[in-house]
């Protein structure tokens, strides 16, 4: 079974997907990316619960058990061989299966789930005809609100970096960046 088949099976078994969301995922997955071109999700992020970067790089044995354990299919092998979090078509729900699968201690349980990613909203977000509010409606931690200028605003304290706002955005107006928390 190819990764894309596994991904969609896991995604559909864990989430309700609207027809629009499924169509958007299929269409965007079919886009060809030229070699050397940055991917649609240029952020390289470590899995949830990862030790600080230097310690993680030294501790991780690249066994990929965490990748295999991820039911959402959002952990993948980076070109360096280390696992990376790639939130593009599915969000991280903090299930901790990747942490439980790590037997070398490179991933540790967190007191508060946080991927370390934060959304940044760009001007594509403002639709003068119809405001969608997808990021606000889909945010389980209620970290996104609509400001006076109709742009989404983020409460960093509430945000867990799950990426649901990115997954639900129909206008490619959300980019995830590593936070410095």
């Amino acid at each position: 079974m190819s990764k894309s088949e596994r991904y969609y099976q896991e995604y559909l078994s864990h989430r309700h997907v609207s027809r629009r969301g499924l169509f958007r995922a299929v269409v965007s997955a079919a886009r060809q990316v030229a070699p050397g071109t940055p991917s649609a999700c240029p952020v390289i992020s470590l899995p949830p619960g990862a030790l600080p970067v230097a310690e993680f790089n030294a501790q991780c044995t690249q066994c990929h058990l965490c990748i295999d354990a991820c039911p959402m299919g959002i952990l993948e092998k980076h070109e360096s061989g280390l696992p990376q979090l790639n939130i593009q078509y599915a969000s991280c729900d903090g299930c901790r299966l990747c942490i439980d699968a790590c037997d070398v201690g490179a991933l540790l349980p967190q007191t508060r789930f946080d991927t370390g990613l934060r959304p940044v909203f760009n001007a594509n977000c403002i639709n003068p005809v119809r405001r969608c509010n997808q990021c606000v409606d889909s945010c389980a931690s209620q970290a996104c609100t609509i400001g006076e200028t109709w742009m989404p605003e983020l409460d960093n304290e509430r945000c867990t970096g799950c990426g649901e706002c990115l997954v639900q955005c129909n206008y490619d107006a959300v980019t995830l960046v590593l936070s410095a928390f």
Side-chain angles (χ1 to χ4, degrees), residues 1-7 9:
M1 181 182 337
S2 72
K3 181 176 180 182
S4 61
E5 289 176 36
R6 176 179 166 251
Y7 165 79
Q9 285 178 350

Side-chain angles (χ1 to χ4, degrees), residues 6-7 10-11 13-14 68-74 93 95 97:
R6 176 179 166 251
Y7 165 79
E10 294 294 334
Y11 186 81
S13 70
H14 285 30
D68 296 337
C70 181
M72 300 308 292
I74 59 174
D93 58 5
C95 69
L97 292 176

Side-chain angles (χ1 to χ4, degrees), residues 46-47 53 55-68 76-84 101-107:
L46 297 177
V53 176
E55 293 175 48
F56 179 79
N57 291 344
Q59 192 80 17
C60 180
T61 60
Q62 300 180 19
C63 66
H64 301 137
L65 292 175
C66 58
I67 294 172
D68 296 337
E76 64 184 21
K77 180 180 167 184
H78 184 260
E79 58 193 31
S80 67
L82 294 169
Q84 74 173 4
C102 181
D103 56 0
V104 296
L107 302 177

Side-chain angles (χ1 to χ4, degrees), residues 68-120:
D68 296 337
C70 181
M72 300 308 292
I74 59 174
L75 287 181
E76 64 184 21
K77 180 180 167 184
H78 184 260
E79 58 193 31
S80 67
L82 294 169
Q84 74 173 4
L85 183 63
N86 185 2
I87 297 175
Q88 198 169 17
Y89 305 114
S91 60
C92 182
D93 58 5
C95 69
R96 295 181 39 156
L97 292 176
C98 57
I99 295 170
D100 294 341
C102 181
D103 56 0
V104 296
L107 302 177
L108 300 174
Q110 299 173 303
T111 55
R112 178 185 177 270
F113 165 70
D114 197 335
T115 65
L117 298 172
R118 293 295 180 264
V120 174

